[in-house]
Amino acid sequence: MKSIIFCGIGAGLGSATYQALVHGISETDWYRAIYVGLFTMLFYGLYVGFKRLISKNKDA
């Protein structure tokens, strides 16, 4: 669970840092950085969940 949260936070911070460096702080699209972080958490969480589900089915 922590890895999913940290992955989303890292992606959001990376997006915000990139936009701040390229466009400046005043023109940074903060909503985009938040959405990148949230969707990264969502997709990575789904990936980890399906990966665990598949590995449980192989063991059964």
Side-chain angles (χ1 to χ4, degrees):
M1 184 70 175
K2 279 196 297 188
S3 66
I4 295 169
I5 293 171
F6 288 141
C7 183
I9 290 172
L13 286 175
S15 175
T17 303
Y18 168 76
Q19 289 185 26
L21 289 174
V22 172
H23 302 293
I25 292 290
S26 62
E27 295 184 21
T28 299
D29 189 3
W30 296 106
Y31 291 110
R32 180 180 290 172
I34 292 169
Y35 290 139
V36 165
L38 289 176
F39 284 119
T40 301
M41 281 193 276
L42 175 69
F43 291 131
Y44 188 63
L46 288 172
Y47 168 74
V48 169
F50 285 129
K51 189 174 158 185
R52 288 181 185 166
L53 183 66
I54 290 171
S55 67
K56 283 184 183 179
N57 288 340
K58 286 184 180 179
D59 293 338

